[in-house]
């Protein structure tokens, strides 16, 4: 199998689709998407609540503008976002939303026909555009239609395993056809990773099974730093028992959070914003209620929870605005939120850090780009606001695709890279053989569960030195034990044991970057809440963490945060 295109997009979610469209429209018609799934089943489909843009369509949002959106984003990030990037995100929001509307995205509407907007956490105005509670689904289908319209080639059920780098430039990759197990090569003038987050490194995650962070690991192994990996978002309202996302749209539409005393406890933590505080604060508030005995199911299996109460919204509003939430509750929890409160607990949800890129998605490795959750353009900083992730995928996917088009036009590959690609393919085959022939007794599935539990309990919502040290030591112990992982099924067709074993190596290296970064950051900022360092420390830690891969393990360095117009101040809601 030899795949050759001028631009190769790895990942078929929103960032990948938008980048492919932009590269094609930029004049590179030989664009391909390589994805583990059919694009319309990518994890972007799970983003429910909406996409932010200062359209000012809501009666309470008439004074909104992109500068206020940028400020809310930077304040929400606890001032770790690069402000020039956050300004681009906010400024480009309205044009990209209107563009998707013109492409046919079925947004919910106001009576005057304008795009409807709802309040979301940490925002000064109702600026979250939505399509009921299926916004990611609607956007994904809209962009996929544009990909089909342009005739862009899509390779589904293909997994990229490693990069090929020649003279400091990414020139291709090794890929596996998951269906047949055949290993082949991809040659491209430029590649973009849009491979999603690393949520499955944690237990109790809202992420799908494919969000292992392998794309981040592949770039990391190739010498590209991972930025700000210690900032992991826990969504306040995962459905208890399954951790399926109960969208922030529930609270945006007026849902209450209630403890076992019948209190709307957010009055204690964010008296002005209440349930619409930013996610880091609401998640910590829920966990505090549970830890202090005011949750339900205290000490019971599955952990404690609080109630998300929608009953006062009424059946008509729930059916119109939150139909998927009602359907999920019926199918996965056996309850109907029209009549019963929803049991929820904080769940791992989003990776703020990722492959370090500039505003155009370019990495320090020439020819390699990244966009979406796997990337860190640095617009979310220490805490992402709800509604900004869908926006991130489309804005920076578009900018990256446009930049790639210019790059391949100006700097096409020169000469053959066939020999290098064959050598990289042979390396992967040797690695597979080592996993098949390993005399060890470790199972990848067992190590994966230990890793997930370790990260959730030791590198979770509340952190302190002793648990972080234990968490980091456990990751390194698991990495040693990984040397003894044996893959028992030696067939190649849909060999998920082989794929999971290969992914696990990347998960362990990314987990080490998360834990080491968290241990070194001796302050509390956004989602990184240290009990032993409860205050934000701008003097020593207003800086990005950069994690570099070395044969001995992670090496940390730091880079400055870009401040333009908003000086850091106390973050109150």
């Amino acid at each position: 199998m030899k795949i050759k295109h001028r631009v190769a997009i790895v990942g078929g979610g929103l960032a990948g689709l938008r980048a492919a469209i932009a590269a094609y429209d930029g004049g590179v018609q030989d664009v391909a998407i390589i994805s583990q799934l059919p694009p319309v089943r990518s994890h972007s489909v799970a983003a429910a609540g909406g996409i932010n843009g200062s359209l000012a369509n809501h009666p309470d949002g008439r004074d909104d503008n992109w500068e206020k959106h940028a400020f809310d984003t930077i304040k929400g990030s606890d001032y770790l976002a690069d402000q020039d990037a956050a300004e681009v995100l906010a400024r480009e929001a309205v044009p990209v939303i209107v563009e998707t509307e013109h492409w046919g995205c079925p947004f919910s509407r106001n009576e005057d026909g304008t795009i409807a907007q709802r309040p979301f956490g940490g925002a000064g105005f109702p600026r979250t555009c939505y399509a009921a509670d299926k916004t990611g689904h609607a956007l994904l289908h809209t962009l996929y239609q544009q990909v089909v319209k342009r005739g862009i080639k899509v390779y589904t059920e293909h997994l990229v395993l490693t990069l090929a780098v020649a003279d400091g430039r990414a020139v291709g990759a090794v890929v596996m056809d998951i269906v047949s197990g055949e290993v082949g090569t991809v040659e491209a003038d430029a590649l973009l990773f849009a491979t999603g987050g690393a949520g499955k490194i944690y237990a109790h995650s809202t992420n799908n099974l494919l969000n292992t962070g392998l794309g981040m690991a592949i770039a990391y192994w190739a010498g590209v730093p991972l930025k700000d990996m210690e900032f992991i978002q826990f969504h306040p309202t995962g459905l208890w028992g399954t951790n399926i996302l109960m969208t922030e749209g529930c609270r945006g539409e007026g849902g209450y959070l209630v403890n076992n005393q019948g209190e709307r406890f957010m009055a204690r933590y964010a008296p002005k914003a209440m349930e619409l505080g930013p996610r880091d604060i609401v998640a910590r508030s829920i966990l505090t209620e549970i830890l202090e005995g005011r949750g339900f199911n205290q000490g019971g299996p599955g952990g404690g929870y609080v109630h998300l109460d929608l009953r006062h919204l009424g059946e008509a509003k729930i059916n119109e605005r939150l139909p998927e939430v009602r359907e999920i509750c019926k199918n996965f929890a056996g309850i109907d939120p029209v009549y019963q409160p929803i049991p929820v607990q904080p769940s791992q949800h989003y990776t703020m850090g990722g492959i370090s890129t500039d505003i155009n998605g370019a990495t320090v490795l020439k020819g390699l780009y990244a966009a979406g959750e796997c990337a860190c353009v640095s617009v979310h900083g220490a805490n992402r606001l709800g509604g900004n992730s869908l926006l991130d995928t489309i804005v920076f996917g578009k900018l990256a695709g446009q930049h790639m088009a210019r790059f391949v036009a100006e700097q096409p590959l020169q000469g053959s890279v066939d020999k290098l690609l064959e050598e990289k393919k042979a390396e992967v085959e040797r690695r597979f053989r080592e996993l098949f022939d390993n005399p060890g007794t470790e199972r990848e599935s067992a190590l994966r569960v230990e890793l997930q539990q370790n990260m959730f309990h030791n590198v979770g919502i509340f952190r302190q030195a002793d648990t972080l040290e234990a968490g980091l030591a456990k990751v390194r112990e698991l990495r040693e034990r990984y040397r003894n992982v044996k893959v028992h099924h030696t067939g190649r067709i849909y060999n998920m044991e082989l794929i999971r074993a290969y992914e696990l190596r990347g998960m362990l290296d990314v987990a080490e970057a998360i834990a080491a970064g968290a241990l070194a950051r001796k302050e509390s900022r956004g989602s990184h809440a240290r009990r032993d360092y409860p205050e934000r420390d701008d003097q020593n830690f207003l800086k990005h963490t950069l994690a570099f891969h070395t044969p001995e393990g992670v090496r940390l360095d730091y880079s400055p945060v870009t401040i333009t117009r908003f000086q850091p101040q106390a973050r109150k809601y």
Side-chain angles (χ1 to χ4, degrees):
M1 174 176 51
K2 289 186 177 181
I3 297 171
K4 183 175 181 179
H5 295 278
R6 298 207 67 197
V7 167
I9 307 292
V10 183
L14 282 171
L17 297 180
R18 191 62 191 86
I21 293 166
Y24 182 95
D25 291 349
V28 186
Q29 298 192 349
D30 184 17
V31 179
I33 296 169
I34 301 168
S35 174
Q36 293 190 66
L37 291 170
V40 292
R41 294 189 63 192
S42 299
H43 190 56
S44 301
V45 78
I51 178 171
N52 290 340
S54 54
L55 277 71
N57 290 344
H58 192 284
D60 295 333
R62 300 300 187 204
D63 294 329
D64 200 9
N65 57 44
W66 75 262
E67 288 96 339
K68 292 172 181 173
H69 182 184
F71 171 73
D72 286 342
T73 298
I74 292 162
K75 178 183 176 184
S77 81
D78 222 347
Y79 294 90
L80 196 70
D82 282 334
Q83 297 187 9
D84 54 346
E87 289 173 11
V88 169
L89 178 82
R91 193 168 52 237
E92 295 299 318
V94 173
V96 299
I97 290 170
V98 171
E99 182 179 63
T100 58
E101 179 196 32
H102 291 179
W103 284 345
C105 185
F107 287 111
S108 297
R109 299 283 169 176
N110 297 316
E111 290 186 359
D112 63 1
T114 56
I115 295 174
Q117 295 181 281
R118 60 171 45 133
F120 250 42
F125 298 93
R127 68 165 67 97
T128 305
C129 308
Y130 60 94
D133 55 357
K134 304 176 184 180
T135 313
H137 177 102
L139 287 168
L140 198 59
H141 280 257
T142 300
L143 293 194
Y144 185 58
Q145 288 165 4
Q146 295 298 316
V147 166
V148 172
K149 175 183 175 182
R150 288 162 176 77
I152 294 171
K153 175 71 175 177
V154 179
Y155 298 89
T156 60
E157 297 189 285
H158 282 65
L159 174 64
V160 166
L161 300 165
T162 192
L163 279 171
V165 178
D167 299 324
R169 174 173 179 166
V171 297
V174 178
V175 64
M176 179 183 190
D177 181 339
I178 297 171
V179 177
S180 67
E182 180 185 3
V183 175
T185 59
V186 180
E187 178 183 337
D189 292 18
L191 299 98
L192 179 137
F193 274 23
T195 52
K200 296 311 287 186
I201 287 174
Y202 279 79
H204 306 294
S205 174
T206 64
N207 285 201
N208 76 20
L209 294 173
L210 302 185
N211 288 354
T212 63
L214 179 61
M216 295 179 186
I218 291 172
Y220 183 51
W221 294 333
V224 180
L226 302 181
K227 183 189 291 181
D228 292 338
M229 292 301 294
E230 62 267 36
F231 296 102
I232 299 294
Q233 181 164 86
F234 288 80
H235 196 286
T237 55
L239 182 63
W240 179 80
T242 61
N243 303 105
I244 298 173
L245 177 66
M246 294 288 101
T247 171
E248 192 164 321
C250 294
R251 287 172 284 134
E253 295 296 344
Y256 298 152
L257 289 169
V258 182
N259 63 17
N260 68 12
Q261 309 294 308
E263 300 170 321
R264 287 180 64 191
F265 56 84
M266 284 308 300
R268 269 193 284 279
Y269 308 98
K272 291 184 178 178
M274 292 294 286
E275 283 84 357
L276 289 177
R279 290 177 176 175
D280 58 334
I281 292 175
V282 180
R284 283 197 293 274
S285 303
I286 292 174
L287 186 56
T288 299
E289 291 296 301
I290 294 169
L291 293 175
E292 294 183 355
R294 295 187 292 276
F296 300 90
N297 193 45
Q298 296 290 143
Y305 59 82
V306 298
H307 279 156
L308 172 61
D309 198 343
L310 308 181
R311 291 175 292 180
H312 56 286
L313 302 181
E315 184 171 10
K317 188 171 186 177
I318 291 173
N319 285 342
E320 179 195 347
R321 306 283 181 87
L322 303 166
E324 190 168 76
V325 165
R326 188 179 188 190
E327 184 178 340
I328 289 171
C329 286
K330 285 181 174 179
N331 290 335
F332 291 92
I335 62 171
D336 186 341
V338 171
Y339 307 108
Q340 298 157 288
I342 305 169
V344 295
Q345 60 185 186
S347 305
Q348 191 286 337
H349 183 60
Y350 191 84
T351 315
M352 262 78 74
I355 302 166
S356 180
T357 75
D358 64 16
I359 286 173
N360 293 310
T363 73
V364 294
L365 178 60
K366 187 177 176 182
L368 179 67
Y369 293 73
E373 191 175 344
C374 76
C376 182
V377 189
S378 194
V379 292
H380 308 306
N383 174 66
R384 176 178 66 80
L385 294 187
N388 271 352
S389 63
L390 288 178
L391 183 61
D392 175 359
T393 63
I394 295 178
V395 167
F396 292 106
K398 181 177 181 178
L399 292 176
Q402 291 172 339
H403 198 271
M404 292 175 82
R406 296 192 293 273
F407 173 77
V408 302
E410 296 166 359
Q411 302 183 56
L413 272 184
Q414 303 291 330
S416 172
V417 295
D418 287 349
K419 182 180 177 184
L420 172 65
L421 290 172
E422 288 302 314
E423 289 172 354
K424 298 299 292 186
K425 175 184 169 183
E427 284 180 17
V428 168
E429 290 285 8
R430 280 198 297 275
R431 180 66 196 130
F432 283 179
R433 183 49 54 193
E434 289 170 359
L435 289 167
F436 291 139
D437 295 342
N438 196 317
T441 58
E442 295 284 3
R443 303 296 293 257
E444 67 79 21
S445 56
L447 266 59
R448 180 182 295 242
V449 170
E450 285 190 50
L451 172 66
Q452 292 169 333
Q453 293 295 332
N454 171 61
M455 294 300 287
F456 186 80
H457 292 291
N458 288 329
V459 197
I461 294 178
F462 289 116
R463 303 167 172 182
Q464 57 192 41
D466 56 349
T467 54
L468 289 171
E469 288 167 353
L472 181 58
K474 181 67 176 180
V475 170
R476 289 171 173 164
E477 174 209 314
L478 292 171
R479 196 165 55 192
E480 286 300 310
R481 289 168 56 190
Y482 177 78
R483 298 175 187 273
N484 297 316
V485 166
K486 178 179 178 61
V487 172
H488 294 260
H489 177 55
T490 57
R492 286 299 186 94
I493 297 173
Y494 277 118
N495 190 339
M496 299 310 295
E497 184 187 7
L498 174 62
I499 290 171
R500 296 290 177 257
Y502 190 92
E503 288 173 338
L504 181 58
R505 177 186 162 215
M507 295 171 72
L508 289 164
D509 283 346
V510 172
E512 184 191 35
I514 295 170
L519 180 60
R521 185 173 283 276
K522 295 175 181 176
E523 66 160 352
S524 289
R525 184 184 298 270
S527 65
H528 176 65
R530 294 271 307 242
R531 291 190 186 278
D532 46 356
Y533 295 96
E535 302 299 326
R536 195 177 79 195
D537 180 356
D538 288 339
Q539 183 173 358
N540 294 302
F541 289 101
L542 184 58
K543 58 186 180 182
H544 298 297
T545 304
L546 296 176
F548 292 86
H549 179 256
T550 78
E552 295 75 33
V554 64
R555 176 178 67 83
L556 298 182
D557 201 346
Y558 296 90
S559 65
V561 175
T562 301
I563 305 289
T564 57
R565 64 176 76 184
F566 304 112
Q567 290 303 310
Q569 56 185 272
R571 186 166 164 253
K572 298 178 180 177
Y573 292 94

